[in-house]
């Protein structure tokens, strides 16, 4: 069956002639405050207000070692490097990201099914969830490039066809995140406004954007205004710490020019009640390994 956007209202127009700000039309926390789960009521309120939730230790040190070992195995495997799901740095040609790791690796599949992880996603989104995207990000020292400012939802809406903001991401640190090695930055509160970007989406845009973002990038003027209004929060923490953040947070990360690597596993959970349709602002869908079309709930 062909999925279309017919009779589906586009609540968040983007990739048009001009940049347009739209107030958020969806809840941040979809679950009831009374719904039992690992996230406290106070933390749910913080997530609703700020758009993110930091956890000092989501996984134990012995588990971190297991995931670090698996990351090393994947990034050193020539077959994985040759796979289209691996993205390499434009300059160094080192692996930057490996997508769909929960399907490539049973070790990371186990992490996705862990109730400390998926249980939080279900509680926040108020439903069963599936994995819209998973990847490991590798930022070795001495020059690994960053990710420019963007809202994930802008891309997932425009290019993957997610209709509503009912998606939550978790970044789990597999190395220590210092304030100097290219850590995650978020503008607190920015998730309450959707910034529709200017400019059409090129065909096969993902091939370029996964290395260097272009389409879907906010203007300097918009970023300056948002940063002045919301400020910027930089996340640091030990390996095993985690940051949950809403799909519409304006976020990015800098280059890592230190000797200290920064690696993380990144999992995106989407509600089974918010499954993807056809892209809202792109000529074709991105590949399934970037924007899933398998909506099977995580069990």
């Amino acid at each position: 069956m062909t999925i279309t956007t017919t009779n589906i209202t586009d609540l968040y127009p983007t990739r048009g002639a001009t940049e347009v700000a739209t107030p958020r039309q969806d809840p941040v926390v979809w679950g009831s405050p009374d719904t039992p789960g690992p996230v406290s009521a106070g933390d749910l309120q913080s997530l609703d207000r700020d758009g993110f939730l930091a956890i000092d230790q989501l996984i134990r040190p012995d588990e971190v070692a297991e995931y670090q070992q698996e990351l090393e195995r994947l990034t050193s495997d020539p077959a994985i490097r040759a796979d289209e799901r691996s993205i390499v740095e434009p300059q160094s040609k080192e692996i930057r990201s490996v997508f769909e790791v929960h399907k490539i690796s049973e070790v990371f599949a186990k992490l996705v099914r862990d109730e400390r992880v998926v249980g939080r996603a279900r509680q926040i989104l108020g439903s069963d969830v599936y994995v819209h995207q998973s990847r490991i990000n590798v930022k070795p020292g001495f020059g690994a490039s960053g990710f420019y400012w963007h809202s994930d939802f802008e891309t997932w809406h425009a290019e993957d066809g997610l209709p509503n903001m009912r998606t939550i991401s978790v970044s789990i640190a597999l190395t220590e995140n210092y304030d100097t090695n290219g850590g995650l930055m978020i503008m607190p509160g920015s998730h309450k406004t959707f910034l529709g970007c200017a400019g059409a989406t090129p065909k096969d845009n993902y091939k370029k954007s996964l290395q260097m973002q272009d389409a879907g990038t906010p203007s300097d003027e918009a970023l300056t205004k948002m940063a002045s209004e919301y400020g910027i929060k930089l996340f640091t923490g030990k390996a095993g710490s985690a940051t949950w953040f809403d799909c519409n947070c304006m976020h990015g990360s800098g280059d890592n020019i230190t000797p200290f690597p920064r690696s993380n596993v990144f999992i995106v959970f989407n509600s089974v009640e918010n499954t993807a349709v056809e892209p809202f602002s792109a000529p074709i869908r991105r590949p399934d390994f970037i924007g899933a079309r398998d909506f099977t709930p995580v069990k």
Side-chain angles (χ1 to χ4, degrees):
M1 181 178 68
T2 301
I3 303 173
T4 70
T5 54
T6 304
N7 298 324
I8 296 177
T9 302
D10 183 358
L11 298 175
Y12 303 104
T14 189
R15 312 281 174 103
T18 59
E19 200 170 51
V20 180
T22 303
R24 185 187 184 107
Q25 305 295 303
D26 296 303
V28 178
V29 177
W30 289 74
S32 164
D34 301 326
T35 303
V39 187
S40 70
D43 281 346
L44 289 174
Q45 289 176 345
S46 295
L47 175 65
D48 181 77
R49 180 188 67 237
D50 298 327
F52 59 80
L53 181 61
I55 299 174
D56 289 338
Q57 185 183 70
L58 183 63
I59 56 176
R60 302 185 307 270
D62 61 304
E63 295 172 307
V64 169
E66 178 185 9
Y67 295 123
Q68 287 174 333
Q69 185 177 28
E70 182 68 353
L71 181 147
E72 290 295 329
R73 183 187 73 79
L74 292 172
T75 55
S76 61
D77 184 340
I80 297 295
R81 182 182 179 85
D83 193 293
E84 66 173 346
R85 291 172 287 189
S86 293
I87 311 300
V88 299
E89 286 278 357
Q91 301 297 327
S92 69
K93 303 305 180 183
E94 296 295 322
I95 286 182
R96 173 188 178 95
S97 301
V98 179
F99 282 80
E100 218 170 41
V101 288
H102 71 295
K103 292 190 175 181
I104 293 175
S105 163
E106 177 54 34
V107 173
F108 285 111
K110 179 181 68 174
L111 179 62
V112 166
R113 297 190 300 264
D114 192 312
E115 276 300 312
R116 292 170 297 179
V117 178
V118 70
R120 284 178 164 85
R122 291 192 194 104
Q123 185 183 6
I124 292 165
L125 299 181
S127 69
D128 279 335
V129 297
Y130 70 93
V131 177
H132 176 70
Q133 185 187 104
S134 73
R135 67 179 188 258
I136 47 174
N137 291 327
V138 184
K139 266 194 180 181
F142 301 115
S145 55
F147 292 86
Y148 197 69
W149 290 105
H150 64 286
S151 153
D152 286 331
F153 181 76
E154 193 279 337
T155 299
W156 299 338
H157 182 70
E159 300 186 41
D160 296 340
L162 294 192
N164 296 95
M165 296 179 183
R166 198 170 180 178
T167 314
I168 190 80
S169 302
V170 60
S171 175
I172 304 173
L174 300 182
T175 54
E176 184 156 0
N177 284 243
Y178 301 101
D179 58 3
T180 52
N181 65 340
L184 173 68
M185 297 181 288
I186 294 178
M187 297 184 188
S190 60
H191 62 305
K192 296 294 182 75
T193 301
F194 176 77
L195 187 63
C197 298
T201 309
K203 185 178 180 181
D204 291 340
N205 178 56
Y206 77 93
K207 293 180 179 179
K208 179 182 178 183
S209 68
L210 295 177
Q211 292 180 324
M212 186 64 66
Q213 186 87 359
D214 187 10
T217 301
S219 69
D220 290 353
E221 292 78 12
L223 289 170
T224 300
K225 181 179 178 181
M226 294 180 80
S228 298
E229 180 176 355
Y230 300 119
I232 297 173
K233 165 73 174 176
L234 171 66
F235 293 87
T236 59
K238 299 286 188 182
S241 62
T243 305
W244 290 85
F245 58 103
D246 179 80
C247 58
N248 191 45
C249 284
M250 190 62 68
H251 67 288
S253 64
D255 296 349
N256 182 13
I257 61 172
T258 76
F260 309 114
R262 175 183 174 264
S263 299
N264 69 297
V265 55
F266 180 75
I267 306 164
V268 181
F269 293 102
N270 189 39
S271 169
V272 297
E273 299 173 11
N274 188 45
T275 53
V277 295
E278 288 300 323
F280 285 87
S281 305
I284 59 172
R285 304 173 183 171
R286 298 195 300 175
D288 289 7
F289 69 84
I290 301 175
R293 296 280 161 169
D294 178 355
F295 310 137
T296 305
V298 177
K299 297 295 184 183

